[in-house]
Amino acid sequence: MTVKITKAAAEAHPALARWLTGAGLPLATDDAAGVTRILDLSEADDARPGDVIIERADGAPSAVLGSATRAAHLRFGFDDMPFGYALAAELVRPHHRPACGEPESARLLAFSDRIAASDATVLILGETGTGKEGLSRYIHATSPRANGPFIAVNCAALPETMLEAILFGHARGSFTGASSEGEGLFRAANGGTLLLDEVAEMPLALQAKLLRALQEKEVLPVGAVRAEPIDVRVIACANRDLAVEVAEGRFRSDLYWRLNVMPLKLEPLGARRLDIRAIAAAMVVRHTPAGTPVAWPTAAALEMLMAHSWPGNARELDNVLQRALLMREGDRIEAADLTIDTPVSAPAMQPGRLSDASRVVEAELIRSALKETNGHRIRAAERLGISERTLRYRLAEMRSVAA
């Protein structure tokens, strides 16, 4: 989908085209089918559903989201122009395309377009919450497999004893409780894309079977005697450097090279300043109930968002914005409405066991241990003096508190 800025809108907002192209949104010069238009207020009578009307005016900004029967309408002055442009870009962004504002992120999406046209295996690396699954879905949606299934599985969230059967399927009676045949996710994704998230958590023994499935394009269900062909594109994601995992013997080198055909790297959100603004606009729109006014962040609030380092990446940003939308007292999101956590430094404790720490410091110790071990949970648990099972439980508690 392309975007056309009318002449009147371009004259009133000369920087808008630069913002949209910086976000990687292609601009059109005519009203061909599939083109979304951005119009000036003077052209409102010509607006149709799907269009965006922008009005430059002093005073409090406003945004009326579009519907099946009307165009969206944005009204803002100079101070609110940065977020106004981010909102305009959000309202014309195709739903399957990740929100972005950084030119470097736009170039990554353009490169992903080229990758999507092929059938190559993709490896996406980046911290938790940087948008790996969103990028995976974008590659699928822009690929020749777009009409096929997209199935995502978190390898770290599944019991090791069941992971093989979940991925490759199982024959009836192959283990206790297998009263019927199980299809498995590879066969369920046939003709489409299978996302293997947190692939670094996959046990070494299962890595060999995954390698065979990728090489031979077939799977052998648990308890079966005959392999079955599959037609699946695999995208793997990891929040740790797999090259390091290979060097330390925790990941098979042959599987790494099989997955690393087309590597992509997502930088932490704190290093993508303009993406923060674009993603914040997307989140505000998503959390605004239909028919209610959009709560614009003030210039001070927006600057506060863009200045934060976001160690929790997009998930932390989403939490902060949801709290602000719920707890604000005025029509706008003020800087005082943003409850942004400041990392708490753990006191010097030896050997840093969880029983010695408060809940806040406990969470910080866990984060530090995971960072020091490059996210390896078994080694992090050893440093903390707890079992891996207890660490998983503590991480689940931390996620539930943050949600």
Side-chain angles (χ1 to χ4, degrees):
M1 183 177 73
T2 54
V3 181
K4 177 186 177 181
I5 305 174
T6 65
K7 183 179 179 181
E11 289 176 349
H13 298 271
L16 179 57
R18 187 168 64 250
W19 168 263
L20 294 180
T21 54
L25 295 171
L27 299 183
T29 57
D30 54 36
D31 289 346
V35 173
T36 298
R37 301 181 303 169
I38 298 180
L39 303 91
D40 183 67
L41 179 63
S42 62
E43 304 167 300
D45 290 343
D46 187 44
R48 56 186 181 233
D51 289 343
V52 178
I53 301 167
I54 53 175
E55 174 187 0
R56 184 165 180 173
D58 294 333
S62 65
V64 177
L65 302 181
S67 68
T69 58
R70 68 166 186 264
H73 185 174
L74 304 180
R75 179 182 183 274
F76 51 89
F78 180 80
D79 289 344
D80 293 301
M81 196 172 290
F83 194 73
Y85 288 168
L87 269 181
E90 171 57 25
L91 295 179
V92 300
R93 174 177 65 90
H95 71 277
H96 62 273
R97 181 184 175 86
C100 79
E102 284 284 347
E104 186 60 36
S105 297
R107 284 190 285 271
L108 178 66
L109 291 178
F111 185 51
S112 299
D113 289 337
R114 296 171 56 189
I115 292 174
S118 73
D119 218 24
T121 302
V122 181
L123 176 62
I124 305 176
L125 300 177
E127 295 178 2
T128 299
T130 50
K132 297 189 293 296
E133 182 170 341
L135 182 57
S136 301
R137 290 183 180 275
Y138 177 69
I139 291 171
H140 171 74
T142 53
S143 76
R145 295 177 175 270
N147 293 326
F150 177 90
I151 295 180
V153 56
N154 187 325
C155 298
L158 300 175
E160 291 185 13
T161 54
M162 294 297 296
L163 188 54
E164 180 179 1
I166 291 170
L167 287 177
F168 305 126
H170 64 267
R172 181 178 179 179
S174 57
F175 53 83
T176 302
S179 57
S180 60
E181 180 181 329
E183 183 180 34
L185 296 181
F186 264 94
R187 287 188 288 177
N190 205 47
T193 303
L194 177 63
L195 168 62
L196 299 176
D197 198 7
E198 295 198 47
V199 71
E201 301 292 335
M202 185 175 288
L204 279 168
L206 196 54
Q207 291 178 25
K209 297 180 180 180
L210 173 60
L211 176 64
R212 178 173 177 80
L214 294 174
Q215 289 182 159
E216 306 300 329
K217 298 188 182 301
E218 62 181 23
V219 295
L220 181 65
V222 176
V225 296
R226 181 177 301 170
E228 297 191 20
I230 52 168
D231 174 24
V232 175
R233 190 214 194 121
V234 170
I235 300 177
C237 297
N239 57 17
R240 299 203 301 273
D241 189 337
L242 288 189
V244 174
E245 297 299 297
V246 169
E248 297 192 4
R250 295 187 295 268
F251 202 83
R252 292 179 62 105
S253 61
D254 46 7
L255 177 58
Y256 170 67
W257 292 116
R258 175 62 62 175
L259 294 174
N260 198 37
V261 178
M262 296 304 304
L264 296 173
K265 176 68 181 296
L266 284 170
E267 296 298 327
L269 182 59
R272 294 149 44 195
R273 182 177 166 84
L274 296 181
D275 280 358
I276 295 171
R277 184 164 63 191
I279 295 171
M283 290 174 173
V284 168
V285 169
R286 185 170 74 238
H287 295 307
T288 298
T292 62
V294 173
W296 288 59
T298 63
L302 185 59
E303 181 58 34
M304 186 174 174
L305 291 173
M306 295 176 69
H308 186 52
S309 60
W310 301 110
N313 294 301
R315 293 175 186 172
E316 182 188 1
L317 174 60
D318 198 23
N319 290 344
V320 168
L321 287 172
Q322 284 194 68
R323 285 197 297 266
L325 288 168
L326 289 171
M327 303 305 292
R328 64 189 168 89
E329 296 183 358
D331 295 332
R332 304 192 62 177
I333 298 175
E334 305 282 348
D337 297 322
L338 300 174
T339 308
I340 298 179
D341 296 330
T342 302
V344 177
S345 299
M349 300 174 67
Q350 296 295 332
R353 302 180 73 89
L354 291 182
S355 57
D356 299 326
S358 67
R359 175 171 291 189
V360 174
V361 178
E362 173 182 302
E364 186 61 28
L365 283 172
I366 289 175
R367 294 190 190 99
S368 297
L370 288 170
K371 183 176 182 180
E372 291 168 4
T373 59
N374 291 317
H376 196 278
R377 292 181 179 176
I378 294 177
R379 293 169 60 199
E382 291 173 351
R383 286 185 178 230
L384 294 165
I386 59 175
S387 68
E388 184 189 8
R389 182 176 181 181
T390 299
L391 176 58
R392 287 178 181 271
Y393 176 75
R394 292 288 194 273
L395 288 170
E397 278 189 331
M398 290 165 61
R399 285 192 293 269
S400 66
V401 170

